[in-house]
Amino acid sequence: MKYSTEVIENIKIVGCATQRLDLYDRKDFEAECILNEGQTILAIDLSQVLNIDSSILGSLLHIGKNLSKINAELIVFALQPAVIGVFKLTRLEYLIKVRKNRQQILSEFRAPGPQ
Amino acid sequence: MEQELASLRREKELLQQRLYDSVSQNLRLLSILELSRPNQEVISAEESQALLCRQIQEAIGAHRLVLIIAGETQWRLLRIAKESAKISVTEALPETPDLAAIKAASYISGDDKSVLGLIAIAREFMMGDSGDGRATVFPLVGNPEARALGYFVLFSHDKALSSEELRLLEACQKQVAQMLHVQHLYELSNIDSLTGLFTRRYTEAKLRYEMRRSTRRHEDLAVLLLDIDFFKNINDTYGHLLGDKTLKAVGALLASLVRDIDVAGRIGGEEFLLVLPGTENAGAQLVAERIRSRLERMTIGEQGANINITVSIGAAIFDSNRDQEIGDLLDRADKALYGAKANGRNRVVFAS
C-alpha cells in the first residue's frame, strides 16, 4: 500500500511509502487526507518522498485552507532536502507548518487528555 | 480595544489571503516549469499529451482548452474540461474542407481566415459543452521557420483573459511546442522502417514503463511474443523480396489490430512483441487468437508466387511478484512461444 494511516487521539498521521508524488497520485492522496470527527490535526509523513510536483503541492495548499475553516490544521513532517527546497521556493512554508519528526508533532499538537 | 482587535483580525485575514494567492501563483509557475522537464519515464505520445493537458489545466485555471495536434499523417484533438478533470482524445480528425485549408497553410495566426475554420472544428468537439463564448487560437511553433505542430484553442465564457493569464498561456505555448517537437523526433527515431512498427529499444522501454505502471495502479498487463513459422524457408525459397513483403504485411496487420494504447514492436528478424496494457487473460487470448487466425487466412503474393503463412504466439500475463525485471516476463513468454513451436506451430500458448 502506498499510504498508511494511524490515528493518535486527535491526530491523523498519513504516511507516504513512495519516492515520488505527482499528478497520478493526486486523487488517492487527497482521499487519504480526509479527517474524521474528533480529529483536528492532519500530519503527513513525507520522509520517503524525494520528489513532489506542483499538483500535489496545490493539493496541500487546498487541504490546508479547507482544514483551517473547520479549525483543524495541516502539518507536514520529516521533509527531504529537495522537498524543503520546493517549500521554500514556492513559499509554501509560510502557509503550511513543517515539523522535523513525529515526536515533535505528538508533543506539540496532541490535545490535552482528561486529567 | 474591541474595534482595534477586529480591525487587526481583518488585516491578518487579508494578508493571509494575499499570501495564499501569491503561493498559488508560484505553484502555477512551477507547473509550467514542470512541462519542460523531461519525463523520467518513457511514455507514449498520447500519454504525455494527456499529462501535459492536465498540467496546462492546472496552470491556466478554469477555462476550457482544446489542443489540436498536427501529426505527420493525421491530426488529433484533445479536449480538456476543467470541472470533470476529464480529457477526451479524438481519433484522427475527419478530413473536412476546413481542416484541409488549415493543413495547407503551414502556420495560421490571428488575422487569417482559416482561424475561424480551426475554431469551428474545436467548437464542434465541445459537443454543446460550453463551446460558446470567446475563442482564441494560439499556434504552437517549435522554431520560427517550422510549420505549426499544433494549436491551442481557448474558450473563455464571459470575460476576456487577464494579462496574467495571457502571460501564463504564452509560457505554456512555448513549452508545449518544444515538447511536441521533441516528441515528434523521438517517435521518428523509434520506428522500424521496414514494418512501421516500433523498434526493439522503444518496445522494451515501453514495456518496462507499463510494468511499473501496472504495479503501481494494480492494472493488468499482457505481452504476446509472436514468431512467423518457417520464415527462413520463405527467404530461401522465394527470396528476400517476398520475405520483406511478408514482414511488412504482418506489421501492417498487427498495427491494424492493436488499440491506441498498445505497443506493437518488431524485436528481431521475424519476431514481434505486443504490449497490451489493461489486458487480462481472456482479453489476451482473444487478441492472440484473432491475430493468429487473420494471419492464417492472409495470402501474400509477389510475381506469381503466392504464399500463406502462420505464426506461433507465446503469451504471458504480467505478475508483479514473479516478474521483477522485463527479462523475467519475456522469458516466460519466450518459453510459451517455444511450447507453441514444439506443439506443431500455428497456435497460441500461454505461459504458466
Side-chain angles (χ1 to χ4, degrees):
Chain A
M1 282 301 286
K2 196 173 218 169
Y3 306 101
S4 59
T5 56
E6 182 190 359
V7 177
I8 300 171
E9 288 164 25
N10 60 323
I11 303 174
K12 175 176 177 177
I13 300 176
V14 177
C16 311
T18 177
Q19 297 196 344
R20 187 178 165 80
L21 275 179
D22 58 27
L23 261 169
Y24 288 122
D25 305 306
R26 185 173 183 163
K27 225 171 124 192
D28 290 345
F29 178 74
E30 287 181 354
E32 293 292 334
C33 291
I34 295 169
L35 287 188
N36 287 330
E37 216 167 316
Q39 300 169 349
T40 55
I41 299 290
L42 174 67
I44 299 177
D45 179 354
L46 292 176
S47 56
Q48 294 185 49
V49 179
L50 303 176
N51 211 317
I52 197 163
D53 87 338
S54 60
S55 65
I56 297 290
L57 295 174
S59 281
L60 289 175
L61 186 65
H62 188 67
I63 291 166
K65 194 173 188 188
N66 283 344
L67 288 184
S68 70
K69 284 185 200 152
I70 55 166
N71 287 325
E73 207 169 356
L74 169 70
I75 298 135
V76 292
F77 68 98
L79 273 58
Q80 295 288 339
V83 178
I84 292 180
V86 182
F87 266 68
K88 282 194 191 311
L89 183 79
T90 57
R91 307 202 166 188
L92 209 54
E93 54 171 348
Y94 295 116
L95 284 174
I96 296 174
K97 282 191 178 150
V98 179
R99 292 293 180 267
K100 279 209 170 64
N101 52 41
R102 183 192 154 89
Q103 203 47 47
Q104 218 179 3
I105 303 238
L106 292 183
S107 58
E108 191 175 342
F109 297 101
R110 216 165 173 170
Q115 296 298 310
Chain B
M1 184 71 181
E2 286 267 313
Q3 260 181 352
E4 225 169 276
L5 213 61
S7 96
L8 276 175
R9 207 170 285 141
R10 268 201 305 279
E11 203 167 314
K12 186 191 161 200
E13 270 167 22
L14 211 69
L15 284 172
Q16 193 87 22
Q17 184 60 41
R18 267 167 56 186
L19 182 59
Y20 183 85
D21 290 344
S22 131
V23 173
S24 299
Q25 167 74 358
N26 290 346
L27 290 182
R28 265 193 244 160
L29 291 171
L30 184 65
S31 74
I32 292 175
L33 282 177
E34 283 168 355
L35 290 178
S36 64
R37 192 184 296 162
N39 261 303
Q40 293 179 339
E41 294 171 332
V42 180
I43 54 179
S44 71
E46 188 152 308
E47 247 180 312
S48 58
Q49 279 151 11
L51 182 71
L52 173 85
C53 287
R54 273 193 214 157
Q55 282 170 328
I56 296 170
Q57 183 187 302
E58 292 282 317
I60 294 173
H63 297 281
R64 293 188 185 264
L65 182 67
V66 170
L67 173 62
I68 294 175
I69 298 157
E72 193 71 2
T73 49
Q74 48 179 234
W75 285 41
R76 291 184 309 124
L77 180 144
L78 280 89
R79 183 169 67 98
I80 307 118
K82 168 77 178 169
E83 288 80 2
S84 61
K86 233 189 183 157
I87 292 168
S88 340
V89 184
T90 64
E91 302 280 315
L93 282 175
E95 291 290 335
T96 58
D98 269 348
L99 187 60
I102 297 159
K103 276 186 176 178
S106 61
Y107 176 97
I108 59 171
S109 61
D111 40 9
D112 221 309
K113 226 171 68 191
S114 6
V115 164
L116 290 177
L118 194 69
I119 292 173
I121 291 171
R123 215 184 276 282
E124 195 176 317
F125 277 88
M126 301 301 279
M127 290 176 291
D129 187 10
S130 309
D132 46 354
R134 305 163 65 105
T136 326
V137 172
F138 296 83
L140 304 167
V141 185
N143 63 63
E145 303 297 315
R147 70 186 179 93
L149 300 162
Y151 297 91
F152 277 145
V153 183
L154 187 89
F155 291 93
S156 36
H157 303 292
D158 36 10
K159 55 180 176 113
L161 292 176
S162 69
S163 61
E164 183 203 311
E165 283 167 324
L166 274 173
R167 263 212 328 274
L168 279 170
L169 238 139
E170 263 165 34
C172 282
Q173 201 181 348
K174 282 185 196 128
Q175 304 272 23
V176 174
Q178 206 170 7
M179 174 170 166
L180 288 177
H181 185 60
V182 170
Q183 209 157 45
H184 182 64
L185 295 178
Y186 180 76
E187 298 248 320
L188 277 185
S189 66
N190 285 300
I191 304 285
D192 169 47
S193 60
L194 181 66
T195 59
L197 299 180
F198 288 110
T199 56
R200 180 188 189 118
R201 198 171 57 105
Y202 179 88
T203 313
E204 288 189 348
K206 179 71 185 170
L207 175 58
R208 220 167 270 130
Y209 166 72
E210 289 297 346
M211 282 169 65
R212 276 201 296 272
R213 198 167 88 134
S214 164
T215 310
R216 197 175 181 187
R217 294 184 162 189
H218 308 288
E219 279 175 10
D220 294 312
L221 170 67
V223 294
L224 304 180
L225 203 57
L226 185 148
D227 191 271
I228 303 175
D229 296 329
F230 301 115
F231 183 72
K232 194 170 175 302
N233 288 354
I234 300 173
N235 267 340
D236 291 349
T237 316
Y238 302 99
H240 288 278
L241 227 60
L242 190 57
D244 282 357
K245 201 163 181 182
T246 307
L247 291 170
K248 266 188 208 169
V250 172
L253 185 95
L254 291 179
S256 74
L257 286 183
V258 298
R259 302 162 298 175
D260 270 3
I261 55 166
D262 300 333
V263 176
R266 178 179 171 217
I267 60 165
E270 70 270 23
E271 210 174 329
F272 300 85
L273 174 65
L274 268 67
V275 180
L276 313 171
T279 305
E280 76 328 347
N281 212 308
Q285 190 113 39
L286 203 74
V287 177
E289 190 49 42
R290 190 178 297 149
I291 291 170
R292 191 204 59 77
S293 68
R294 287 279 293 272
L295 282 171
E296 190 182 21
R297 279 180 278 140
M298 192 165 71
T299 304
I300 300 155
E302 175 72 37
Q303 292 171 349
N306 282 323
I307 57 159
N308 290 89
I309 57 159
T310 57
V311 292
S312 300
I313 300 177
I317 307 294
F318 172 62
D319 174 350
S320 57
N321 294 321
R322 290 170 69 185
D323 305 318
Q324 299 294 323
E325 296 289 327
I326 170 176
D328 301 330
L329 177 61
L330 289 181
D331 215 37
R332 291 201 294 122
D334 198 46
K335 287 206 175 82
L337 175 61
Y338 182 80
K341 293 272 183 196
N343 280 309
R345 299 183 167 83
N346 189 23
R347 65 194 62 227
V348 181
V349 171
F350 268 73
S352 49

